[in-house]
Amino acid sequence: MSSHRIFPLQTPDYLLSFQFSSWYPSFSPISIKSTIIRPLSQTFKEYLDSDGIFVPEGSENVPAESSPSDQEDEDDAAVGQSFSFPDLDERIRQIIKEYGAIFPKLNFSSPKDASWVLPPSSPLKCTSPSDVYILLKSSDFISHDLSIDAVFEGCQCDPSNPPSYQLELVLRKWYPIDRSREFRCFVREGRLIGISQRDTNFYDFMNEPQTQNKVLETLQRFWEDKIKSKWHGQQDYVFDVLMTRDLSRGHVLDFNPYAPRTDPLLFTYEELLSVFTQGSSTPELRIIDSPLHPVASRNAPAYQHNMLPMEALALSSGRDINDFSDLWKNEIQQSMNDDD
């Protein structure tokens, strides 16, 4: 049995080396153009932490028309008016003007689970401050970055000397991305050991041997030439890459800790440890090799659980659509009766 741990030691410094502002300056030439906004006000954090989904006053590009007859709209406006970020609004508008369109993230997490709140033809594409805010407010993923306990979960921290952490808003230039060319790469002790397809759809062209060889050759060369010598943190990390259409080059999308919080996708971390201990000089590539692959998407929207009330998900478990429909109608009727 190997003496190697499945995961490296998780320290505050190790985890902080993966927040966006820590790695982007070194890798900006091979990444997506981005702007980091920090510090952020405590009020902005309180807005992200607050209950409900609403837009701060003044963040819309076009002023909303008043609807005095609509009490619900008035209530929402009153809530929005309790938060206002004119300086941040202006900064976001300037960046949108420079980039054309943007998509946001915080130190570690992006609100990709909330992409459904914007048009599906251009997921995560923000053209106003309100788009940015509503994406962040609708996301479960970004809650990780709002809690210092979540950020340093699994670390052995000194209670008398808590790690320093400052929330940051990252605005990245928006591009339409071909998900079939996204890959997640796993590096252990300074060695590239595994590469996984990120999107869980079946792509026929990815099953061609020559295509797989091209992906392997390009990503190994990209890592050796562009990343290996510039990464100055602990030598266990995960990075995401978008390859060019001809599969000859790549762009870094993100870096992630080699830790349980990072999805190993088509691997398990136990399998990655086995690959590492085998000592192969070539990383193992894993792709969705069949429409019947166990994790292949079945035409269901990603993160669909974010699009339904929790009660609906609980009721739907193990039931066909007719049973679920009847139960859900009954649940709604019961709720209405309780309110009477």
Side-chain angles (χ1 to χ4, degrees), residues 157-202:
C157 303
D158 181 358
S160 64
N161 185 27
S164 175
Y165 177 69
Q166 185 179 49
L167 192 68
E168 59 194 35
L169 173 63
V170 180
L171 303 177
R172 314 199 72 184
K173 183 177 174 65
W174 185 89
Y175 297 94
I177 287 179
D178 182 350
R179 297 294 308 279
S180 70
R181 294 185 274 112
E182 284 187 274
F183 295 90
R184 175 158 289 181
C185 304
F186 301 86
V187 177
R188 191 73 204 267
E189 293 189 11
R191 210 173 83 226
L192 180 62
I193 59 172
I195 299 169
S196 172
Q197 177 181 326
R198 281 190 75 194
D199 189 35
T200 55
N201 283 293
F202 168 74

Side-chain angles (χ1 to χ4, degrees), residues 15-198:
L15 293 177
L16 287 173
S17 68
F18 295 98
Q19 66 178 341
F20 193 86
S21 59
S22 296
W23 65 262
Y24 181 72
S26 297
F27 294 95
S28 58
I30 56 170
S31 189
I32 295 172
K33 192 172 184 181
S34 306
T35 298
I36 303 164
I37 300 177
R38 60 186 294 185
L40 297 169
S41 69
Q42 179 62 26
T43 307
F44 183 68
K45 183 180 182 301
E46 290 170 0
Y47 163 71
L48 295 179
D49 264 334
S50 62
D51 293 333
I53 298 174
F54 55 90
V55 173
E57 182 186 18
S59 62
E60 295 276 11
N61 279 348
V62 179
E65 296 182 6
S66 60
S67 304
S69 62
D70 190 334
Q71 183 63 42
E72 184 176 343
D73 284 351
E74 289 180 354
D75 291 344
D76 288 344
V79 173
Q81 287 170 10
S82 64
F83 290 98
S84 180
F85 312 107
D87 292 342
L88 183 57
D89 292 346
E90 181 58 29
R91 184 79 192 280
I92 292 172
R93 289 190 176 101
Q94 290 172 355
I95 295 166
I96 290 172
K97 185 176 181 181
E98 178 184 352
Y99 290 174
I102 57 176
F103 67 97
K105 66 171 293 178
L106 299 183
N107 305 52
F108 302 95
S109 308
S110 68
K112 59 184 179 181
D113 59 324
S115 61
W116 55 273
V117 305
L118 296 179
S121 59
S122 50
L124 303 179
K125 182 179 183 180
C126 298
T127 56
S128 70
S130 61
D131 288 346
V132 171
Y133 302 146
I134 206 72
L135 263 182
L136 295 173
K137 281 289 287 179
S138 303
S139 172
D140 288 339
F141 287 3
I142 65 108
S143 61
H144 166 274
D145 297 21
L146 302 179
S147 165
I148 194 167
D149 291 335
V151 169
F152 298 108
E153 184 180 6
C155 286
Q156 294 183 345
C157 303
D158 181 358
S160 64
N161 185 27
S164 175
Y165 177 69
Q166 185 179 49
L167 192 68
E168 59 194 35
L169 173 63
V170 180
L171 303 177
R172 314 199 72 184
K173 183 177 174 65
W174 185 89
Y175 297 94
I177 287 179
D178 182 350
R179 297 294 308 279
S180 70
R181 294 185 274 112
E182 284 187 274
F183 295 90
R184 175 158 289 181
C185 304
F186 301 86
V187 177
R188 191 73 204 267
E189 293 189 11
R191 210 173 83 226
L192 180 62
I193 59 172
I195 299 169
S196 172
Q197 177 181 326
R198 281 190 75 194

Side-chain angles (χ1 to χ4, degrees), residues 232-297:
H232 298 304
Q234 187 171 321
Q235 294 302 294
D236 301 276
Y237 54 93
V238 180
F239 65 96
D240 295 329
V241 175
L242 173 66
M243 300 188 73
T244 55
R245 186 169 282 103
D246 62 1
L247 303 179
S248 66
R249 293 176 294 113
H251 301 280
V252 170
L253 297 176
D254 207 358
F255 282 89
N256 303 281
Y258 198 104
R261 69 182 65 182
T262 302
D263 189 347
L265 300 175
L266 301 182
F267 292 94
T268 66
Y269 279 108
E270 289 78 10
E271 290 171 335
L272 286 166
L273 178 60
S274 177
V275 172
F276 171 69
T277 55
Q278 289 169 10
S280 173
S281 60
T282 303
E284 181 175 332
L285 173 67
R286 292 198 177 179
I287 52 112
I288 303 288
D289 56 8
S290 164
L292 301 178
H293 191 285
V295 303
S297 295

